[in-house]
Amino acid sequence: MKRRNFIKATGIAGAGAGLLPGTLNLNAATFRKEGKTTPICIATWNFPNASIRAGEMLEQGATALDAVEQGVMVEEANLKNTTVGKGGAPDREGNVTLDACIMAPNGDAGAVVYLKNNTHAVSVARKVMEETPHVMLAGEGADQFARQHGFEQENLLTPESAKAYKEWLKNKEYKPLINIENHDTIGMLCLDEKGDIAGACTTSGLSYKMNGRVGDSPIIGAGLFLDNEIGGAVGTGMGEAIMKSVGSFLIVELMRQGKSPQEACEITVNRIVKQNPNYKDFQVAFLALDKNGEIGSYCLHKGYSYVKYKDNKNTNIPSQYYL
Ligand code: ASP
């Protein structure tokens, strides 16, 4: 389907479109009786407000694409979350730069990297997907594109993150910590009642990263990949390790070859262990969902968990781990 037709078919008009009223749909059971797929939302880490938002939308019949966008937007706007969206920790020069991508069931994808002045990087990424012939826009070009499409220009550095940055400047020590705030990217996968899968991934990247550094999160195949015939995968943690393994793509391809989502996540983390002699020093975690709604999750270090919203219930589930 051509991009324009796809937009029409899904009824998506612009940034923030597709937001459904926040009430639960009591007809969810009816959908099942009619043979529709049971919707599922899963997301990295424990961001319950995000998975509840997306899960409720899915119960109300929203498309997976609308649900992932609106779901991760909750964390982008959460000022207490110092690793996603506004309030995210800056780089070493004090710039807050956001990376995000989104993927639709028809295989279309959009991404932005080094976005400086817009909270909702995922919505800018969706605009790139829907309104341009490209997949990714970077830096000033991404900001210019966002401005041209009416996204509010904002200073993403909050007083709290400015204060933490000032503290950091005292020692300027760069040491990504395992399972602490600087690995809190939100990656989300949704399966809607039609059985379609969409995904999104959004982050401010590693805290106090080098100016210009881009991680795995906005890279299709690394931080996110899906194939609507097979399933999808998202990653979080040390982006450099995820990029080198093209982790999310690998997981989907392993599922295509018949591996379960769990097996596929485990094989991928094992490969990262082999590739990186220093694997004990960082965290990586993957989350996968297949077309049957089966979930897999695996990480290097204990302490990572994911959220699942299914049948009107939101659950935080500790992941299995390598070490
Ligand atoms: N994967 C992200 C990055 O490398 C960081 C994270 O997940 O916390 O930018």
Side-chain angles (χ1 to χ4, degrees):
M1 196 187 288
K2 284 225 168 70
R3 192 166 277 182
R4 205 159 286 283
N5 296 341
F6 173 71
I7 297 165
K8 259 198 211 147
T10 51
I12 298 153
L19 175 59
L20 298 178
T23 49
L24 276 180
N25 178 14
L26 300 174
N27 291 331
T30 324
F31 290 147
R32 320 279 147 73
K33 270 190 226 138
E34 288 169 4
K36 292 185 180 172
T37 302
T38 302
I40 300 179
C41 167
I42 54 172
T44 54
W45 304 99
N46 188 17
F47 297 120
N49 294 336
S51 51
I52 289 170
R53 161 73 71 86
E56 287 185 356
M57 286 181 64
L58 292 170
E59 294 288 4
Q60 291 169 334
T63 63
L65 186 61
D66 282 341
V68 289
E69 180 189 9
Q70 294 288 331
V72 302
M73 281 171 73
V74 171
E75 283 311 311
E76 288 180 334
N78 176 4
L79 300 187
K80 294 213 171 97
N81 183 335
T82 59
T83 55
V84 180
K86 190 168 183 168
D91 65 19
R92 295 175 199 186
E93 319 297 325
N95 308 299
V96 182
T97 65
L98 306 183
D99 298 336
C101 71
I102 189 161
M103 230 180 144
N106 69 349
D108 276 354
V112 285
V113 303
Y114 202 88
L115 185 78
K116 264 181 162 174
N117 297 307
N118 296 276
T119 297
H120 293 301
V122 71
S123 300
V124 184
R126 183 168 175 175
K127 277 277 178 214
V128 173
M129 174 174 84
E130 292 176 344
E131 304 285 337
T132 80
H134 308 305
V135 169
M136 182 182 285
L137 291 179
E140 176 46 35
D143 271 312
Q144 181 188 355
F145 172 81
R147 274 196 305 279
Q148 285 164 349
H149 284 79
F151 286 89
E152 198 190 331
Q153 297 291 286
E154 299 164 85
N155 175 8
L156 302 181
L157 190 71
T158 58
E160 290 74 23
S161 45
K163 199 172 152 207
Y165 173 59
K166 254 190 168 174
E167 265 312 299
W168 179 81
L169 281 176
K170 287 182 186 160
N171 296 318
K172 295 191 178 175
E173 196 194 359
Y174 178 66
K175 194 169 183 289
L177 300 170
I178 291 163
N179 293 337
I180 319 252
E181 288 194 324
N182 58 357
H183 290 287
D184 282 0
T185 297
I186 181 164
M188 181 179 279
L189 296 166
C190 285
L191 178 69
D192 65 27
E193 63 176 34
K194 292 198 191 96
D196 287 331
I197 292 186
C201 193
T202 179
T203 189
S204 52
L206 297 179
S207 306
Y208 313 122
K209 59 195 174 185
M210 285 179 73
N211 183 17
R213 183 262 187 192
V214 171
D216 62 304
S217 309
I219 309 293
I220 300 297
L224 168 71
F225 190 71
L226 62 90
D227 180 325
N228 200 33
E229 285 182 3
I230 309 294
V234 285
T236 178
M238 185 56 74
E240 283 69 11
I242 296 175
M243 282 193 276
K244 284 192 284 178
S245 64
V246 200
S248 294
F249 180 74
L250 178 59
I251 289 170
V252 174
E253 291 310 299
L254 287 164
M255 293 196 293
R256 193 192 305 279
Q257 289 162 23
K259 302 290 181 210
S260 70
Q262 185 61 34
E263 286 168 337
C265 290
E266 291 184 18
I267 292 170
T268 302
V269 169
N270 276 286
R271 191 172 293 186
I272 287 176
V273 167
K274 273 204 191 140
Q275 277 178 338
N276 296 276
N278 65 334
Y279 68 89
K280 289 190 179 150
D281 300 338
F282 61 82
Q283 174 70 301
V284 289
F286 290 101
L287 188 55
L289 178 69
D290 72 11
K291 287 286 279 184
N292 300 321
E294 199 184 318
I295 297 167
S297 173
Y298 202 61
C299 60
L300 265 175
H301 292 267
K302 186 179 178 179
Y304 159 77
S305 66
Y306 67 94
V307 274
K308 173 175 103 175
Y309 188 101
K310 189 181 176 191
D311 293 325
N312 296 333
K313 204 169 137 221
N314 197 66
T315 329
N316 180 224
I317 302 163
S319 176
Q320 293 182 48
Y321 50 91
Y322 179 86
L323 283 167

